[in-house]
Amino acid sequence: MNTDSFVFDALEAGQYQTQWQAPSNIALVKYWGKHGEQLPKNPSISFTLSQCVTTTAVNFSPREQGDAAFDFLFDQKKQPEFHPKIQQFLERITPFFPALERHHLSISSHNSFPHSSGIASSASAMAAMALCIVDFEKQFHSDWTEEAFLRKASFLARLGSGSAARSIAGPLTVWGHSKAFPQSNDHFAIAPAVEWHPIFQNYQDTVLIVDKGQKKVSSTLGHGLMQGHPFATQRFEQAHTHIEQLKTALTTGDLERFIDLTEAEALCLHAMMMTSNPRYVLMQPNTLSILQKVEVFRAQTQLPLCFTLDAGANIHLLYPLQYRIPIMDFIQEELVVHCQKGQYIEDQVGNGAQKI
Ligand code: DP6
C-alpha cells in the first residue's frame, strides 16, 4: 500500500484541545512477529473491550523553537518512564502529520484499570493518543468521513504499538491482510462489516490477575525473536488458517470451534516464546493451575468457558453473558485463590473508542 495518502500537513499552528477514551482489546488470533515499520507478519483479530480503557486529553499549542515536543501526566503525576515510548511514537507519526513539529502537546492520561495490574495498557494508551492527534488534524479536512478518520487513527496508533491499531473500533477488529476479510490490510485495522453471531454480543471477559509485575521480556523483544525462529513460517501460516476458521465460528456461533481456535492460539503464542532463542516462559504455576481447572470445569458442566493469554501470566476468561452467574461462582470459588491478591477485572466486548 502506498502510504502517501496518509501524509497531511496542516497550514498553520493553532490552539486545540480534545479528549478521547480508547479501549483495550484481547486478541483471539495473535499478532506475534513484525517487520518494517510496525507491519505484522500475520493477520490478527480481537475483541474490543469496554471497561478497560485509557482516557487521554491533549492540549495542542504553537511551539517555539527549542521548546519540548510534549509534557505528560499520568494520573495527574509526572511519569518520565513513559517518555521514551511517547517520544518514539511522535517521531514515527510526524512524517504523516508534519504539523506536529510546530506544536507542543500537553498530554494527560488515566487508565480505568489498576496501574501495574499486569494488563497491557499500551494498546489503549497509544490508541487514545492517536485519536486526539487525528481529531486535531480533522479540523483541516472538512470532507473527512467517519471511516477516513478511524482509518488514520488506527494507522497512527499502529506506529505506537501494533495491537493499538485494533483499539479504535469494535466489536471485533482485524489487522493484517487475511483472505477471509477482503478490506483487511497491514497498515490499519478494520471493523469488518460482517454479521457476527448474536452470542458474541456482550461476550464476557474476566481477566484473572496472576502476576501484577513487569513482564521479564517485553512484547517488542518477543516479536523480534520471531525473526529466524525455527517455527516462524508454520506459525504465520497457521494464523492465516485460524483467522479464516474463526470467522466461520464467529458468524455461525459455533462455540466449540471458537473455544478450540482461541485456546490453540493462546498456547501457540506461548509455545513460540518457549522455543525462541533465547527461550523464555511467561506462564506461572498459577496460570497452569487455572488452565487445568478451566478444562475440568468445562468437561463437567459443558459450559462454553475458554481462556486466552497475552504475552504474560494473566488469563482472560471468555464466555457468553447468559452463563455469567455459574461461571462467576466458579471463578470466585476455585480460581481467585490463584490470583495475586485475589484480583480480577470484569469486562465485556465493547464498540470502540469515544470522544469525551
Ligand atoms: C501478545 O502490540 O504490545 O498481545 O507492536 O511491539 O508494541 P508492539 O507489540 P504489542 O504486541 C502485542 C502482542 C500480543 C498479541 C496481540 O495483541 O495480538
Side-chain angles (χ1 to χ4, degrees), residues 25 27 29-32 34 38 44 85 122 158 160-164 166 175 219-220 223 269 273 309-311:
N25 71 75
V29 172
K30 310 288 181 182
Y31 147 55
W32 199 243
K34 59 179 166 179
Q38 291 288 100
S44 55
K85 194 113 201 202
S122 65
R158 182 200 99 227
S161 181
S163 53
R166 300 188 314 246
W175 171 45
S219 286
T220 303
H223 288 293
L269 169 70
M273 299 172 201
L309 305 160
D310 262 346

Side-chain angles (χ1 to χ4, degrees), residues 31 37 65 74 80 87 108 117 125 154 161 174 199 204 230 240 262 264 273 281 287 303 334 337 348-349:
Y31 147 55
E37 198 169 47
Q65 233 181 0
F74 185 81
Q87 179 74 36
S108 175
S117 60
S154 174
S161 181
V174 174
I199 192 88
Q204 303 291 292
H240 277 272
T262 301
M273 299 172 201
V281 182
T287 313
L303 293 181
E334 301 247 4
V337 61
Q348 60 177 9
V349 171

